[in-house]
Amino acid sequence: MKVTYFFRKPYQDYFSIENVFNIVQQALPKDIIVKNYNLKYYSVGIVKRLKSCFEVLKHKGELNHITGDIHYVSYFLPKKRTILTIHDLAPLENSTGLKHAILKFFWYQLPIKCVAKVTVISQYTKQALLETVNVNPDKIVVIHNPFAGNLKFQPKKEIAKVPVLLQVGTSYNKNLEGLIKAIGNLEVKLMIIGKLTIQQISLLEEAQINYDNKSDLEYHEVISYYEKADLVCFASFYEGFGLPILEAQAIGRPIITSNKCSMPEVAGDSALLIDPSNVQEYREAITTILNDVVVRDSLVKKGFENTKRFTATTIAMHYTNLYKSIINNV
């Protein structure tokens, strides 16, 4: 069986989709032959998107898998041999009126009609999709994201004198601003991965936060910052999945995450779940983990057990079964 994976044109600082499917592909059985194709154009404007549609037409395979973020290329691929992965409904969350209606039709309704199956990365995303688009629930298959199998479980015996808190992501939904407010006057160092806005830098300086910031990192560099951290903070307002939860747990770091969207589904009881809009609750969760070794060790142990649900082998098996079912039904 030959599977062609279609990816967006690579971004410097956004590579989560690419990482996920790289992990999946490495765990697929040998009889699945993989071909990857990256679009030549960014998803901007009608002309470039149309060019991308004609582009994929030339590279279609026996089975086609659109990996996300470029839903519209489904228009030009054979329906019975195409799968679309939808990671979240974030574009709809941030739009209203005519823009919302256009995005809903061209980014979700029409692409879903143009494919044999849709995979989503969480039950939360499936439910959100069913509430938004009129589609047969059987067409939507939940296959979670895997984490990288080469992450080494190395829990810290004790935290640093000045604990290092890691924040992964700086976009609007990542709630960096809430974390800044939560750690005011705490003797900690904040490590931030992602490009900071002028407003975020101002907030950090006004709050006199001891921080460091890195962006445009390779994946192995990102992992090195997990290893340096004492605590990972990931209390987002919105996530389709939340891979940093698993990456932190696989390395052996306690994590605070949100009680909203997909994050409770991914974390279970292996993280401290908080209301991301409650700054005091966020602060109390941080101080609890930093000061209570029993809580900290329990989260680390539960976190490692939790990652077993999301191994590359398990997730690749789900995709393999889906691929075979589609090929057998053509």
Side-chain angles (χ1 to χ4, degrees), residues 17 20-21 24 65-69 71 83-90 107-108 112 115-133 135-146 238-242 262 265-266 310 315 318-319 322-323:
I17 293 175
V20 162
F21 282 100
V24 170
H65 190 158
I66 303 165
T67 59
D69 203 33
H71 304 176
I83 298 165
L84 168 65
T85 294
I86 294 178
H87 295 267
D88 55 48
L89 278 72
W107 226 258
Y108 295 97
I112 289 172
V115 298
K117 288 286 185 179
V118 173
T119 70
V120 292
I121 58 178
S122 65
Q123 288 289 347
Y124 169 80
T125 301
K126 178 174 181 176
Q127 187 57 40
L129 199 57
L130 290 174
E131 291 172 359
T132 304
V133 180
V135 56
N136 183 343
D138 293 338
K139 190 171 186 176
I140 304 174
V141 181
V142 177
I143 303 181
H144 291 124
N145 285 340
Y238 181 91
E239 293 289 340
F241 187 73
S262 62
E265 179 183 338
V266 176
F310 305 93
I315 304 306
H318 292 315
Y319 277 113
L322 179 62
Y323 296 159

Side-chain angles (χ1 to χ4, degrees), residues 7-8 10-22 168 193 215-223 243 247:
F7 291 90
R8 61 193 174 184
Y11 288 86
Q12 269 194 315
D13 207 33
Y14 299 93
F15 40 72
S16 57
I17 293 175
E18 292 76 9
N19 284 341
V20 162
F21 282 100
N22 179 51
V168 182
I193 295 178
S215 61
D216 299 331
L217 299 176
E218 298 291 335
Y219 186 63
H220 71 274
E221 295 176 298
V222 174
I223 297 308
L243 194 58
E247 291 170 334

Side-chain angles (χ1 to χ4, degrees), residues 13-78:
D13 207 33
Y14 299 93
F15 40 72
S16 57
I17 293 175
E18 292 76 9
N19 284 341
V20 162
F21 282 100
N22 179 51
I23 294 167
V24 170
Q25 289 172 359
Q26 290 180 17
L28 290 172
K30 302 290 185 184
D31 60 343
I32 295 182
I33 300 171
V34 170
K35 176 184 175 183
N36 291 327
Y37 187 79
N38 292 90
L39 297 187
K40 295 178 181 178
Y41 305 100
Y42 288 121
S43 181
V44 179
I46 295 175
V47 173
K48 288 185 177 179
R49 287 170 180 151
L50 278 173
K51 286 183 177 180
S52 294
C53 288
F54 284 108
E55 194 181 335
V56 300
L57 185 60
K58 299 176 184 178
H59 296 276
K60 64 183 179 181
E62 180 183 6
L63 189 65
N64 305 288
H65 190 158
I66 303 165
T67 59
D69 203 33
I70 50 171
H71 304 176
Y72 52 90
V73 300
S74 61
Y75 307 160
F76 281 48
L77 291 171

Side-chain angles (χ1 to χ4, degrees), residues 29-298:
K30 302 290 185 184
D31 60 343
I32 295 182
I33 300 171
V34 170
K35 176 184 175 183
N36 291 327
Y37 187 79
N38 292 90
L39 297 187
K40 295 178 181 178
Y41 305 100
Y42 288 121
S43 181
V44 179
I46 295 175
V47 173
K48 288 185 177 179
R49 287 170 180 151
L50 278 173
K51 286 183 177 180
S52 294
C53 288
F54 284 108
E55 194 181 335
V56 300
L57 185 60
K58 299 176 184 178
H59 296 276
K60 64 183 179 181
E62 180 183 6
L63 189 65
N64 305 288
H65 190 158
I66 303 165
T67 59
D69 203 33
I70 50 171
H71 304 176
Y72 52 90
V73 300
S74 61
Y75 307 160
F76 281 48
L77 291 171
K79 177 177 180 176
K80 292 183 178 180
R81 294 178 178 271
T82 301
I83 298 165
L84 168 65
T85 294
I86 294 178
H87 295 267
D88 55 48
L89 278 72
L92 294 181
E93 294 285 324
N94 304 302
S95 62
T96 57
L98 181 60
K99 181 180 179 181
H100 182 90
I102 291 172
L103 282 171
K104 178 179 174 180
F105 181 76
F106 287 104
W107 226 258
Y108 295 97
Q109 287 181 329
L110 188 55
I112 289 172
K113 288 183 179 180
C114 292
V115 298
K117 288 286 185 179
V118 173
T119 70
V120 292
I121 58 178
S122 65
Q123 288 289 347
Y124 169 80
T125 301
K126 178 174 181 176
Q127 187 57 40
L129 199 57
L130 290 174
E131 291 172 359
T132 304
V133 180
N134 184 17
V135 56
N136 183 343
D138 293 338
K139 190 171 186 176
I140 304 174
V141 181
V142 177
I143 303 181
H144 291 124
N145 285 340
F147 67 94
N150 60 350
L151 302 181
K152 184 180 178 182
F153 185 64
Q154 43 188 328
K156 286 189 171 184
K157 293 182 179 179
E158 57 184 30
I159 63 174
K161 186 175 180 180
V162 177
V164 177
L165 277 55
L166 177 63
Q167 163 80 20
V168 182
T170 57
S171 57
Y172 72 97
N173 62 305
K174 301 298 183 182
N175 195 22
L176 171 59
E177 292 79 3
L179 177 57
I180 293 170
K181 294 175 183 177
I183 62 174
N185 299 320
L186 291 182
E187 191 177 354
V188 297
K189 180 174 182 179
L190 179 58
M191 180 65 224
I192 306 165
I193 295 178
K195 291 180 180 178
L196 292 170
T197 65
I198 294 173
Q199 292 82 1
Q200 288 170 335
I201 293 172
S202 296
L203 281 175
L204 287 161
E205 292 177 349
E206 287 171 9
Q208 297 183 325
I209 303 296
N210 175 15
Y211 79 97
D212 195 6
N213 174 231
K214 300 292 181 182
S215 61
D216 299 331
L217 299 176
E218 298 291 335
Y219 186 63
H220 71 274
E221 295 176 298
V222 174
I223 297 308
S224 72
Y225 284 104
Y226 279 105
E227 294 170 348
K228 295 171 185 176
D230 294 289
L231 168 62
V232 177
C233 296
F234 193 68
S236 301
F237 291 114
Y238 181 91
E239 293 289 340
F241 187 73
L243 194 58
I245 296 170
L246 300 179
E247 291 170 334
Q249 292 179 334
I251 292 168
R253 298 297 176 268
I255 184 163
I256 297 169
T257 192
S258 172
N259 60 7
K260 298 184 180 300
C261 305
S262 62
M263 289 162 278
E265 179 183 338
V266 176
D269 66 348
S270 62
L272 283 192
L273 302 179
I274 66 162
D275 177 352
S277 62
N278 190 325
V279 173
Q280 184 59 33
E281 189 177 342
Y282 205 168
R283 184 182 181 90
E284 289 173 0
I286 292 169
T287 55
T288 295
I289 291 177
L290 295 182
N291 296 329
D292 193 326
V293 65
V294 175
V295 172
R296 192 165 62 245
D297 288 349
S298 175

